[in-house]
Every structure is written in C-alpha cells, then in structure tokens.
Amino acid sequence: MRTKHPDKKSAFSLLSASENQMKFTLTISSTNDSAFTIIRNIYECFQMIGKAVLLSEGKVSEDYIESLEAIKSLQVETKRPIQAIDNLRKIRHGINYYGYTPKKEEADDAILLAKEIFKDILNKTKDKINSQS
C-alpha cells in the first residue's frame, strides 16, 4: 500500500459515486440474466467506500481485501456481518476470472445485503471523514 497526502475531496467523490451507483443498481430487476450486473455493481459500491476510507487516511491500495479491511475498521453496527461483503468478492471473482454465471437467488441475497448494511456503512464513513482534521 502506498501512502500519500490524505485526500478528503476524492474520498467524498468516491462516496458520492458509490451512493449513486447503488441507487441505480437497486432499480434493476433481479433475474438470472441481471444477476451478473447486480452482484458486480453492489460489490464495487462497497469497494468504493473502502477506497474512500483509505484515501481519507492518505493510503492508496489496489488490493480488494485492504478495502474490505478498511470498511471493517469503521466498527459500524449492521444488521448482517460486514464479512458478508467478502462473499460478494468471491462471487465477483468467479464471474470476472472463471466465467461463473450467478443465479437470481445470489443477486437477491446481494440486494438484501446492500439494503441491510450499505447506508449504515456509507453514513459511518461520511462521519469519519468529516471528523478528520
């Protein structure tokens, strides 16, 4: 991981993009055909939050696991464990690198996860970045 000057402006830009993309993604009807897009988009929205946390701390990482760890470090209370995002990472990895075709049920679970924990994580991240000097 590289270090650089903390960048709150870029962090907030990532959070805004993540929020907008999540809103859009949650409007997509869940089908076997759309499962690929839904799962990938939801996972990437969480990744953007993790990257925003790191950027606000002056860290740059291309490692997906470090972004997930950044989210975990927020210690936010959620309805489901934050570790469930890692399941999305594994599915997305299978999609992108092994041609895995996800099912509607997996997309439905990703949607439910997003509805249960995304806002809490997003809001906690905004609060954390706002409180940084």
Side-chain angles (χ1 to χ4, degrees), residues 5-6 9 19 28-29 36 38 40 46 48 59-60 100 102 106 112 121:
H5 190 286
K9 183 178 177 182
E19 185 173 22
I28 300 171
S29 295
F36 172 97
I38 291 169
R40 190 175 58 180
F46 283 113
M48 286 193 273
K59 300 173 184 171
V60 178
Y100 177 71
E106 291 167 303
L112 184 59
I121 293 170

Side-chain angles (χ1 to χ4, degrees), residues 14-122:
L14 271 175
L15 293 178
S16 178
S18 176
E19 185 173 22
N20 290 336
Q21 196 56 225
M22 184 63 80
K23 283 179 186 175
F24 168 73
T25 301
L26 293 178
T27 68
I28 300 171
S29 295
S30 176
T31 65
N32 283 333
D33 291 333
S34 66
F36 172 97
T37 301
I38 291 169
I39 292 168
R40 190 175 58 180
N41 284 7
I42 289 174
Y43 175 73
E44 292 301 328
C45 289
F46 283 113
Q47 276 300 305
M48 286 193 273
I49 292 175
K51 287 183 184 217
V53 171
L54 293 172
L55 275 174
S56 74
E57 297 171 349
K59 300 173 184 171
V60 178
S61 172
E62 295 301 321
D63 186 314
Y64 288 109
I65 293 174
E66 288 173 347
S67 294
L68 180 57
E69 292 299 320
I71 292 172
K72 288 180 190 175
S73 75
L74 297 170
Q75 297 181 339
V76 60
E77 293 290 322
T78 57
K79 292 179 182 177
R80 284 174 63 183
I82 290 175
Q83 186 60 33
I85 299 168
D86 194 50
N87 294 335
L88 290 180
R89 180 186 66 80
K90 291 173 184 172
I91 294 170
R92 189 204 55 85
H93 187 80
I95 290 168
N96 285 355
Y97 301 108
Y98 299 104
Y100 177 71
T101 304
K103 302 286 184 238
K104 177 187 183 307
E105 294 77 19
E106 291 167 303
D108 292 342
D109 187 56
I111 291 167
L112 184 59
L113 177 68
K115 287 180 177 179
E116 290 178 337
I117 71 173
F118 182 78
K119 280 288 187 190
D120 292 333
I121 293 170
L122 180 71

